[in-house]
């Protein structure tokens, strides 16, 4: 019976050592992948922040444009009988709309350039000159 207890003890000890080794290995593997996960999480977080900033900027620009358009419409009312003045006001409105659209496009372009990965420059191999011989 003493022999059986000794064998079970050895088996349990081996299982415990194997479990500990597996646990240590799993911890090491997790530690090695942790920086990658953190980098991915940071990149995703930064992209989310950039997206939210873009949305805020586009919304704010849109609100300002609506307010400007309302002010312009109210300012036009007294001059609706004067064709020349109405034409000038309409030209000014179109210039404002063009500037607004350029502003919105600039915001989109800035966002895209910030989140689009930049191409890495590959170093060209040095060309060795061969002498004829």
């Amino acid at each position: 019976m003493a022999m059986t207890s000794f064998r079970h003890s050895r088996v349990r000890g081996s299982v415990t050592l194997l479990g500990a080794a597996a646990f240590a290995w799993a911890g090491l593997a997790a530690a090695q992948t942790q920086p990658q996960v953190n980098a991915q999480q940071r990149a995703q977080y930064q992209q989310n922040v950039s997206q939210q900033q873009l949305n805020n900027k586009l919304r704010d620009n849109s609100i300002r444009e609506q307010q400007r358009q309302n002010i312009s419409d109210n300012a036009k009312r007294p001059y609706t009988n004067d064709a020349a003045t109405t034409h000038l006001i309409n030209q000014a409105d179109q210039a404002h709309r063009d500037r607004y659209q350029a502003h919105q496009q600039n915001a989109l372009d800035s966002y895209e350039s910030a989140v689009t990965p930049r191409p890495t420059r590959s170093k060209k191999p040095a060309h060795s000159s061969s002498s004829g011989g």
Side-chain angles (χ1 to χ4, degrees), residues 65 68-69 72 87-103:
E65 175 61 16
R68 189 209 59 79
Q69 188 62 50
S72 176
H87 179 69
L88 290 174
I89 292 172
N90 288 339
Q91 284 181 327
D93 279 346
Q94 184 59 49
H96 278 285
R97 281 191 297 274
D98 291 346
R99 190 170 64 200
Y100 164 73
Q101 289 172 349
H103 215 35

Side-chain angles (χ1 to χ4, degrees), residues 54 104-114:
L54 173 67
Q104 295 292 74
Q105 188 62 49
N106 185 40
L108 288 169
D109 292 344
S110 295
Y111 170 77
E112 287 178 9
S113 69

